[in-house]
Amino acid sequence: MKTKRENALVFWLFLAPVLVAFALVIVVPFALGIYYSFTNWSSSARADSVVRFIGLENYAKSFADPAFLHSFIVTVGYTAMNVVFINAVAFGLAMLVTSKIKLRKFYRVGFFLPNLIGGLILGYIWQFLFNNALPSLGNVIPFLSGLADPDAYMLSKSGTALVALVIVGTWQYAGYIMMIYIAAIENVPVELHEAAMIDGASPLQRLRAITLPMVAQAFTVTMFLTLVQSFKQFDVNVSLTSGGPSTLFQGRPILGTELLALNIYNTAFLSNKLSEGQARAVVFFVVLAVISLIQVAVNKKKELEL
Amino acid sequence: MSGLKLGGVKLGRAALEAAALALFILFMAPLLLVLVNSAKTAFEVTQYPLAMPEEWGNIGRNMAMIWTSQNIRYPASLLSSFIITAVSLVLLNLLSSQAAWALVRTKTKTSSAIFFTFVAAMVIPFQIVMFPLLSWLRAVTLATGLPLLRTYQGMVLAYVGFGASLSIFMFHGFIKSIPLELEEAATIDGCRRHEIFYRIIFPILTPIHATVLVLNGIWIWNDYLLPLLVLGKGNAIQTIPLAVSNFAGAFVKQWDLILTAILMAMIPVIVFFLLAQKYIIRGMVAGSIK
């Protein structure tokens, strides 16, 4: 009986610190956040002042705002391109550095390196590349002279600026995803490849019949990882384009590459519409939660098949 | 026939080698350009961003400028980043591992419910909690007298709270695989409940500690939005990403100095990576698959 009470005591004492921190920074703000999204909560309000319930007004206003709609579209486009590019590049790199080339270990480390530098800093580096280094390349190399034309600067138009975000996203993330593919590829038994080679299978046939099915599980992981990561992108967005350049959408001037996370931030802090920003954050959360539920369902299905 | 085939393989290999080298150069070029342009004057950077610097010695001058600049306050920022990251990591590893052990070894409904809550919270994006977090922490400060906004303790509290879910999840998975017999034997030998964790379990956790350290370390060191909100702009305490962003905002287009600041922000990360790359890569891959 005494040990039982001691065990219960240790249980709560061991959990107490993380529970307190978790409650303070996640549970309470999360509950408050959902509540505030239905109120007229504003930045001048302190936590103890009166906030009034206004129903779905913040949500209605958000969906009536072209900037939010555009931001949604841009984020979906960015995410789709990012997922495809990152995974294609990462898989290609993984194939390359698991072949028998020299210096493959060295290359792996190099491809992985950008991932360790924060997105904010990467964005500044690439701002310099797109605005200074690439145009200069156009001045030096005659057949690239188009690059030197100020109209061709990638960050000057919202369409190409979005592609620029994808380029940086790929550069930042491909090496990390590559490492996951490498782990999967190296798990494929060598005997499978040897047997196929004896049977006269070409490298391409082996890729299709052995490597791809064997790394299918990794694909599920990397797809969702890149999907969620891209959907939440904020840091690179801030430092590379700050959401710009401006463009017209539904007859209103808006920021052309403002991804959702940045739109939420700007709605609250630039436009001073805190509760509306909060409502957008709730929408953002719901989309991410749905993605996660799909992921869990897919993984369950995959496990059953195995 | 066989000779021909051999030739084909060799040619294929050479093409692969060339492709790998080209891609490697392409991937490293942005970082190399940061280094090269950190050794230039403002005029050189804008006129010849791709050329080698005229005088490599300029890199020392630029770095000294960043080191002493009041806009970036580099030494103080480096120290603040280091304090926040180190203290958060130590606490996260200690507190999450003991919590995970308590959750694994206590089989009650409460225990499962708490674990499920931590796991479910991994879906919560920072965006949905960030606005209420500020007003709420302000209210907590008013009620307790402990300042949380713009302070180290507030920053560390936030990282322990936000990092707990993933850390507990990682430790939980590892501890489940430790045989219970080990702990039963210790109990028979007269080990108290809490001693079992600190003396027997904690030392076994080394590999998973390394993974959790790496995952959280990279996140905390590079994090921008959370410190921006909790510490605020123009605070005496600022992290390296905040400092770089302040600096880039104040010295728009002065790429010689901005790139030097970036170079100096990257140096600690790259040095650390080269020293511990095996653990970092292993930790990041393990963290993704879980």
Side-chain angles (χ1 to χ4, degrees):
Chain A
M1 210 51 218
K2 199 177 152 234
T3 43
K4 213 172 182 186
R5 203 182 304 153
E6 190 191 325
N7 289 356
L9 185 70
V10 169
F11 174 76
W12 286 112
L13 283 179
F14 271 26
L15 271 169
V18 276
L19 279 181
V20 168
F22 183 72
L24 277 175
V25 303
I26 296 185
V27 180
V28 175
F30 180 71
L32 281 174
I34 290 179
Y35 166 66
Y36 285 151
S37 74
F38 299 104
T39 69
N40 67 344
W41 185 52
S42 72
S43 51
S44 55
R46 290 283 184 267
D48 51 340
S49 68
V50 186
V51 283
R52 198 163 44 82
F53 189 77
I54 55 167
L56 290 171
E57 204 180 305
N58 290 319
Y59 291 90
K61 274 190 194 157
S62 293
F63 283 111
D65 178 7
F68 183 56
L69 291 183
H70 186 267
S71 178
F72 226 116
I73 297 167
V74 166
T75 307
V76 170
Y78 167 79
T79 303
M81 284 195 280
N82 232 13
V83 169
V84 172
F85 273 88
I86 292 174
N87 283 287
V89 172
F91 190 74
L93 292 178
M95 292 297 290
L96 200 58
V97 296
T98 48
S99 69
K100 292 195 174 69
I101 57 167
K102 287 178 206 127
L103 297 175
R104 55 186 180 274
K105 290 264 156 72
F106 179 73
Y107 289 145
R108 284 179 196 191
V109 172
F111 294 140
F112 182 77
L113 187 60
N115 191 252
L116 291 175
I117 300 157
L120 187 93
I121 287 174
L122 295 185
Y124 287 122
I125 296 177
W126 280 87
Q127 200 192 335
F128 173 73
L129 294 183
F130 286 126
N131 285 340
N132 297 65
L134 276 182
S136 173
L137 199 63
N139 284 330
V140 179
I141 302 172
F143 76 92
L144 290 177
S145 61
L147 289 173
D149 178 6
D151 281 340
Y153 285 18
M154 286 199 77
L155 300 179
S156 69
K157 289 198 189 63
S158 56
T160 48
L162 195 66
V163 175
L165 279 169
V166 174
I167 292 175
V168 181
T170 306
W171 184 70
Q172 175 186 19
Y173 223 53
Y176 173 35
I177 300 299
M178 171 195 77
M179 287 295 177
I180 299 173
Y181 285 137
I182 291 175
I185 290 171
E186 286 182 342
N187 267 338
V188 177
V190 189
E191 293 79 20
L192 277 181
H193 282 289
E194 285 171 353
M197 267 150 84
I198 291 168
D199 291 343
S202 73
L204 213 63
Q205 281 172 322
R206 278 187 288 134
L207 172 69
R208 222 187 59 200
I210 302 174
T211 312
L212 284 181
M214 292 295 285
V215 300
Q217 188 66 35
F219 270 117
T220 330
V221 172
T222 54
M223 284 295 159
F224 281 106
L225 213 58
T226 46
L227 188 67
V228 170
Q229 169 79 15
S230 308
F231 200 78
K232 287 200 218 172
Q233 182 58 269
F234 179 82
D235 296 6
V236 174
N237 200 190
V238 167
S239 54
L240 185 66
T241 69
S242 316
S246 323
T247 181
L248 279 177
F249 181 70
Q250 296 182 346
R252 264 193 48 194
I254 49 142
L255 288 174
T257 63
E258 191 185 50
L259 299 178
L260 275 175
L262 184 58
N263 180 270
I264 292 168
Y265 181 90
N266 284 344
T267 304
F269 291 133
L270 283 187
S271 317
N272 271 320
K273 292 185 278 194
L274 204 52
S275 57
E276 204 179 311
Q278 186 58 44
R280 293 175 189 198
V282 173
V283 174
F284 186 67
F285 160 69
V286 171
V287 175
L288 280 166
V290 169
I291 295 175
S292 301
L293 285 178
I294 296 173
Q295 179 183 19
V296 171
V298 170
N299 277 344
K300 275 254 168 68
K301 202 170 154 248
K302 277 258 161 71
E303 272 165 32
L304 285 179
E305 280 168 4
L306 281 176
Chain B
M1 186 64 202
S2 68
L4 248 178
K5 204 173 174 188
L6 204 70
V9 169
K10 262 192 184 154
L11 207 69
R13 173 76 63 80
L16 278 184
E17 300 272 5
L21 184 66
L23 279 168
F24 179 76
I25 293 172
L26 194 67
F27 261 74
M28 290 299 108
L31 300 179
L32 206 65
L33 278 172
V34 172
L35 178 69
V36 167
N37 284 292
S38 297
K40 291 182 189 171
T41 60
F43 175 77
E44 270 185 278
V45 174
T46 37
Q47 290 304 306
Y48 315 107
L50 299 174
M52 279 292 141
E54 274 171 24
E55 177 57 61
W56 273 103
N58 277 334
I59 204 167
R61 192 195 52 130
N62 283 344
M63 284 173 97
M65 201 109 108
I66 295 299
W67 186 267
T68 53
S69 160
Q70 281 310 300
N71 279 74
I72 191 162
R73 289 183 285 122
Y74 183 85
S77 307
L78 190 67
L79 184 67
S80 293
S81 261
F82 185 76
I83 292 172
I84 290 168
T85 308
V87 177
S88 302
L89 287 182
V90 168
L91 288 179
L92 262 174
N93 272 271
L94 178 68
L95 301 176
S96 303
S97 61
Q98 69 175 38
W101 177 76
L103 289 170
V104 173
R105 294 302 187 221
T106 307
K107 293 195 169 60
T108 59
K109 280 204 178 114
T110 322
S111 170
S112 323
I114 293 174
F115 179 62
F116 177 78
T117 311
F118 277 120
V119 174
M122 285 198 274
V123 184
I124 297 176
F126 181 60
Q127 275 71 20
I128 196 172
V129 295
M130 66 186 186
F131 305 133
L133 179 71
L134 296 183
S135 61
W136 163 246
L137 286 185
R138 210 175 288 131
V140 172
T141 299
L142 279 176
T144 61
L146 178 73
L148 292 174
L149 291 176
R150 303 178 79 84
T151 62
Y152 282 118
Q153 63 265 26
M155 219 47 241
V156 170
L157 171 81
Y159 280 125
V160 172
F162 284 110
S165 282
L166 179 69
S167 310
I168 288 177
F169 182 68
M170 303 284 295
F171 283 119
H172 196 275
F174 190 90
I175 293 171
K176 263 196 305 196
S177 67
I178 300 174
L180 197 58
E181 288 78 22
L182 208 64
E183 296 175 31
E184 284 165 354
T187 313
I188 292 165
D189 290 346
C191 228
R192 300 282 297 274
R193 184 75 169 165
H194 62 277
E195 288 174 332
I196 291 177
F197 176 74
Y198 293 118
R199 290 209 184 153
I200 318 273
I201 302 301
F202 196 80
I204 309 177
L205 298 178
T206 312
I208 194 76
H209 273 303
T211 302
V212 173
L213 274 179
V214 164
L215 283 174
N216 289 329
I218 291 166
W219 161 52
I220 295 173
W221 185 269
N222 290 325
D223 196 21
Y224 170 64
L225 189 51
L226 182 60
L228 175 67
L229 295 174
V230 172
L231 293 176
K233 279 180 183 158
N235 189 347
I237 307 169
Q238 62 175 3
T239 60
I240 289 279
L242 281 184
V244 170
S245 122
N246 281 346
F247 187 79
F251 286 76
V252 184
K253 310 279 178 212
Q254 288 214 26
W255 285 112
D256 54 329
L257 295 179
I258 296 175
L259 290 172
T260 308
I262 285 171
L263 177 72
M264 288 169 74
M266 292 194 306
I267 288 172
V269 181
I270 292 179
V271 168
F272 179 67
F273 175 56
L274 295 179
L275 289 177
Q277 43 150 303
K278 207 172 77 184
Y279 299 97
I280 291 174
I281 290 174
R282 198 188 289 158
M284 299 266 310
V285 173
S288 72
I289 293 168
K290 288 282 152 54

